[in-house]
Amino acid sequence: MSDWGPSVSPISADTVHVTSLDPALRFAAEAVLEGIADGVFVIDSAGCLRLLNGAGERLIGTDRAMWIDRPIVELVHSDDVEAVGEALEALRAGRHVGVLSLRVRDAEGAWRTFEAAPINDIAGDSVKGMICVAQIDVPALGLPVAATAPHAPTLDAGTHHREPNIDQLLEVSTSMVLLLDGHGVVTRASAAFLRLIDRTVGEVEGVPLTEVVSAADAAAVSQAVTRLSGVRCREVVEVNLDIVSREMPLPLRFEMVGIFDDPMVNGIAVTAYDLTELHAALATADRLSRYDDLTGHYNRHALLAEVKQRMANSERFSVALVNLDFFRPVNDLYGYEIGDELLREVGRRLEQSVRPYDFIARMGGDEFAVIAPGLDSDKALASLTEQIEVSLSATYHLSTGPVRIAASVGASVAEPTLTPAMLLADADAAMREVKNERRGLSKTSVFTRRTTAAERMQLVDECRQGLARGEFIAHLQPIIDLRTRKMVRVEALVRWQHPRLGLLRPQAFMNVIEALGYDAELGNAVLESACASLSTLARNGVMPRLSVNFAMGQLSDPTLGRRVASTMRASGIDMSRLVVEITEKALVGRRAPSGTVSPEDALIELHHRGAKLSLDDYGTGATSLSNLRRFPLAEIKIDRSFVSQMCMSAQDRATVEVIIGLSRSLGLVAVAEGVETNEQLELLTKMGCDEAQGYFVGVPMSVDDLIQWTWM
């Protein structure tokens, strides 16, 4: 655009994401707009300034960072605020809004004129706001000033008479100006406009403007002329002109002003603006918002939009998520440039391994996705995933030499009951299942096994309800004294008495609890249930101590000590019978968030209230001797991984012996976990271990079963 003037351009729904892009894409869109010589303002329908390029910053004369995301009314004169508010209200209501003339204070404090022409697109797929390419201090009519002088002679549109001052101005001016009569016929055209459209005076003057523009835009121009007849107001119309020397139509914006009360004009003045540069910039921004710059495929934003659109149209399709295995070692070994080269090659192979009409997107990092229309059977999906895995797992010949990676692919079928998020979550769960199987990981969790997104969301809701209904209870596992072989203590282990799935162990739900942030609530429920069970045991003549594992959320609660003491007291249990267990990994390197206490402070308080402290899973973390001395520990629990192999592994046996010896030297009780055989039990007794627990000793059980166990 060679001339200043207010401008509006309808753009696609994806392009308007410049107002709400993630930081990387927003930065790219701003970089595109920086290339435009005119001031570009992007204002949302709420009236907030979202983007402003460098030229616009120079126009207002202040740092753009001061105004981004602030209401545009803060920029304008107080007398113009009402007009802006009315225009935005009309925009939201779907009514037409003309050109606004606003006053803006510059850096020197002077008020200058700012003109904006908002486009109503509330119900459409474009801006839902306005984009303005603007000039400060634009002449009131968009015409050379001399052409609007009150003493100028009358223009007779029906003759070829030319007033020299107007002819000369239209000849030498760089502005692209047209004058129309009341019927929309061109009476004059500036030389700049004729040069732009590559036509002569005879091809334009005397011709209706509707015949100059493309046939598709003729109706819009005709309607604007009708609205302007006899009224001094403004209309903004975007049109295209077919030009022989151009492959593509020329996009123009016409600002049309009715000036029938001026005898020199007595018609409609039109100022034209070339939108080629702006459209190119917006197309680039659209590409940046939809495509992955590295591979050239669609990006995550485009994939989500495509999934939503297809599901809204009730189409039959599947989504496959592809995650690269062993990609990180390539990055670490050869560097990110080779990693990028590999990703580009993966994108090319993926394109070759699917059908031409399948939709491919790079989700980010080493993850890709494929939308496969028409594939909705298990057999078809298995064929697709196998084809992708085979293609992506073949050797890559990169600039540094041959490289081998693999791919894990999981797919899901679009169902009417699913949302887009659920569909993608199903595909992700399937992909994770494939990856875990290759790593030899078991599928023990109800939450992580391959269920539908609806089932997983149901489990999340049931977790919340289960906590409220008291479905999470404590089962008690006996701990015996190895010298007397009698039960001296029980450990409280959480179970979920699920009304639909039955009794569930922690592996089935703990990741859900942690994801919801309910670990503290669960710990409280387990403690209350365990104390109630201990009271029942006491009434039956059984008086063991109680071991409880406290979650990090509980240990960060400054009221923990007071609440634990209150719970124990309400059940008639002395605090001296409580043993608090905490793992090495949870104990070391933890800092308290704001408004909480550190785990160390919480443990010290519980100790002062009478509880004993136990270090669980010893040998698997990073606790040093100094850390052991720092806490008033009463016992160390030897991790089951050492106990389970000590009868077959000399190294594990030596480890257990060292831990028992360390406990004895520090005056701590040594407790062995995971005792599964009589051989292990006898060896631990011989080593001088104090206590033991495990399935050979006794499984976790309800309080009624534990009472029966004690009588055996």
Side-chain angles (χ1 to χ4, degrees):
M1 288 174 286
S2 58
D3 298 289
W4 292 107
S7 166
V8 178
S9 175
I11 56 178
S12 72
D14 291 315
T15 302
V16 78
H17 288 164
V18 295
T19 65
S20 58
L21 286 177
D22 61 52
L25 291 179
R26 180 178 176 127
F27 176 81
E30 289 174 337
V32 171
L33 297 180
E34 285 299 316
I36 299 178
D38 295 340
V40 180
F41 296 74
V42 178
I43 305 167
D44 65 16
S45 59
C48 292
L49 182 65
R50 295 304 186 190
L51 284 181
L52 175 63
N53 69 349
E57 182 180 47
R58 290 189 292 275
L59 286 177
I60 63 175
T62 55
D63 182 4
R64 73 183 96 177
M66 296 173 54
W67 299 105
I68 297 300
D69 296 330
R70 289 172 60 182
I72 194 68
V73 293
E74 295 183 11
L75 264 171
V76 303
H77 193 282
S78 58
D79 292 344
D80 297 329
V81 169
E82 183 177 355
V84 173
E86 291 176 352
L88 289 174
E89 194 62 36
L91 194 68
R92 298 187 196 98
R95 299 193 300 274
H96 172 74
V97 179
V99 175
L100 302 177
S101 181
L102 312 171
R103 284 162 291 179
V104 179
R105 189 187 299 276
D106 62 18
E108 286 73 35
W111 291 103
R112 307 172 69 186
T113 302
F114 167 80
E115 292 198 337
I119 289 291
N120 171 20
D121 193 42
I122 293 296
D125 291 330
S126 60
V127 175
K128 301 183 185 300
M130 61 186 103
I131 283 188
C132 305
V133 176
Q135 178 188 11
I136 305 296
D137 298 332
V138 181
L141 299 179
L143 287 170
V145 176
T148 64
H151 60 272
T154 303
L155 171 67
D156 182 2
T159 71
H160 293 289
H161 174 68
R162 307 286 196 217
E163 291 297 332
N165 61 335
I166 295 180
D167 287 342
Q168 291 172 5
L169 286 169
L170 294 179
E171 183 66 28
V172 302
S173 174
T174 59
S175 297
M176 294 180 288
V177 179
L178 297 171
L179 295 181
L180 314 179
D181 64 15
H183 302 289
V185 176
V186 179
T187 59
R188 298 189 182 185
S190 69
F193 178 76
L194 296 173
R195 286 194 298 271
L196 177 67
I197 66 173
D198 195 20
R199 297 188 188 180
T200 64
V201 173
E203 292 175 310
V204 174
E205 293 188 1
V207 177
L209 185 57
T210 53
E211 297 181 13
V212 176
V213 303
S214 64
D217 299 317
V221 172
S222 177
Q223 292 169 6
V225 169
T226 300
R227 287 194 294 267
L228 289 169
S229 297
V231 180
R232 189 178 181 114
C233 63
R234 297 178 183 235
E235 290 287 333
V236 177
V237 182
E238 288 197 12
V239 301
N240 289 288
L241 272 68
D242 296 319
I243 300 176
V244 177
S245 59
R246 290 172 57 105
E247 293 184 3
M248 301 293 293
L250 173 67
L252 292 177
R253 188 192 70 259
F254 286 156
E255 281 191 21
M256 309 173 68
V257 185
I259 319 177
F260 293 92
D261 56 352
D262 190 316
M264 183 174 63
V265 178
N266 191 26
I268 300 171
V270 181
T271 305
Y273 300 95
D274 182 1
L275 300 182
T276 302
E277 185 180 358
L278 179 61
H279 282 193
L282 293 176
T284 302
D286 176 58
R287 180 182 61 79
L288 291 172
S289 70
R290 289 174 52 80
Y291 290 89
D292 172 53
D293 197 43
L294 180 64
T295 64
H297 291 302
Y298 290 103
N299 60 18
R300 178 187 294 271
H301 299 282
L303 176 84
L304 294 175
E306 187 74 12
V307 169
K308 290 177 182 178
Q309 184 62 49
R310 289 177 183 271
M311 295 191 80
N313 295 337
S314 301
E315 294 185 28
R316 294 169 51 248
F317 70 97
S318 296
V319 173
L321 288 186
V322 182
N323 187 269
L324 304 182
D325 301 322
F326 316 117
F327 173 75
R328 182 178 293 277
V330 175
N331 259 349
D332 294 341
L333 185 61
Y334 299 110
Y336 289 105
E337 289 187 3
I338 300 303
D340 288 348
E341 181 184 349
L342 176 58
L343 288 173
R344 285 191 290 269
E345 184 59 32
V346 167
R348 284 190 286 270
R349 287 197 187 181
L350 191 58
E351 188 173 358
Q352 295 167 0
S353 63
V354 300
R355 300 168 299 180
Y357 50 85
D358 288 339
F359 187 101
I360 302 173
R362 181 184 174 213
M363 301 291 284
D366 60 350
E367 192 164 278
F368 292 77
V370 176
I371 298 178
L375 293 188
D376 57 0
S377 69
D378 291 340
K379 183 177 181 180
L381 285 182
S383 176
L384 173 67
T385 57
E386 181 180 2
Q387 188 170 337
I388 293 174
E389 288 180 357
V390 170
S391 176
L392 299 189
S393 299
T395 301
Y396 295 82
H397 297 282
L398 306 180
S399 57
T400 57
V403 168
R404 287 291 300 271
I405 61 171
S408 298
V409 185
S412 59
V413 179
E415 301 287 352
T417 57
L418 297 179
T419 65
M422 289 179 175
L423 175 64
L424 294 174
D426 282 348
D428 184 73
M431 182 268 290
R432 301 294 172 191
E433 181 179 335
V434 172
K435 188 176 289 288
N436 287 340
E437 287 177 349
R438 288 180 175 170
R439 293 175 177 175
L441 300 179
S442 61
K443 297 176 289 181
T444 57
S445 170
V446 175
F447 189 68
T448 56
R449 68 179 173 83
R450 188 173 180 182
T451 57
T452 67
E455 289 174 327
R456 293 194 296 277
M457 290 304 297
Q458 181 181 3
L459 189 63
V460 168
D461 290 337
E462 289 173 344
C463 270
R464 296 191 183 100
Q465 297 167 9
L467 282 169
R469 291 194 294 250
E471 294 172 0
F472 291 89
I473 59 175
H475 272 205
L476 307 177
Q477 184 174 31
I479 301 174
I480 63 171
D481 185 315
L482 285 175
R483 291 181 295 273
T484 65
R485 302 297 172 96
K486 293 183 178 180
M487 182 177 70
V488 293
R489 184 156 41 112
V490 292
E491 180 177 357
L493 299 171
V494 63
R495 296 293 185 265
W496 184 3
Q497 189 61 61
H498 196 287
R500 178 171 55 88
L501 301 174
L503 191 68
L504 299 180
R505 300 178 64 184
Q507 295 93 325
F509 56 82
M510 277 308 299
N511 50 359
V512 185
I513 292 293
E514 292 169 354
L516 294 172
Y518 288 164
D519 50 347
E521 287 85 346
L522 179 64
N524 297 336
V526 171
L527 178 62
E528 291 177 3
S529 174
C531 286
S533 296
L534 224 62
S535 297
T536 301
L537 288 173
R539 289 193 295 270
N540 286 270
V542 183
M543 302 287 290
R545 288 177 289 129
L546 173 66
S547 286
V548 177
N549 287 278
F550 280 174
M552 289 307 301
Q554 289 175 283
L555 293 174
S556 299
D557 182 359
T559 67
L560 175 66
R562 189 165 58 252
R563 287 192 297 99
V564 170
S566 175
T567 301
M568 301 283 287
R569 187 166 50 251
S571 301
I573 304 170
D574 191 85
M575 280 288 289
S576 62
R577 294 172 61 191
L578 177 67
V579 179
V580 177
E581 297 188 7
I582 186 167
T583 63
E584 289 185 272
K585 293 179 181 178
L587 189 62
V588 178
R590 294 284 185 167
R591 293 189 176 182
S594 176
T596 65
V597 297
S598 70
E600 180 176 348
D601 293 337
L603 291 172
I604 297 298
E605 182 184 357
L606 288 169
H607 172 69
H608 287 162
R609 289 180 178 271
K612 294 179 175 59
L613 304 183
S614 172
L615 186 57
D616 197 11
D617 300 336
Y618 186 78
T620 62
T623 299
S624 65
L625 287 176
S626 61
N627 283 323
L628 289 177
R629 291 196 303 268
R630 194 174 85 229
F631 295 95
L633 297 173
E635 68 177 34
I636 292 178
K637 299 189 77 171
I638 307 169
D639 187 68
R640 67 183 64 247
S641 62
F642 301 116
V643 175
S644 64
Q645 300 297 318
M646 68 178 186
C647 292
M648 297 173 288
S649 167
Q651 184 177 1
D652 285 346
R653 176 173 177 168
T655 300
V656 173
E657 285 182 319
V658 168
I659 296 175
I660 292 173
L662 176 64
S663 301
R664 187 178 299 113
S665 65
L666 294 176
L668 305 178
V669 175
V671 183
E673 296 183 293
V675 178
E676 307 289 343
T677 67
N678 183 63
E679 184 182 7
Q680 294 169 357
L681 192 68
E682 293 300 331
L683 183 56
L684 288 167
T685 303
K686 183 178 179 181
M687 288 178 177
C689 188
D690 299 300
E691 298 177 2
Q693 69 182 107
Y695 276 28
F696 182 77
V697 175
V699 300
M701 59 192 86
S702 67
V703 64
D704 292 335
D705 290 339
L706 184 60
I707 292 172
Q708 294 294 327
W709 180 87
T710 60
W711 293 346
M712 292 175 60

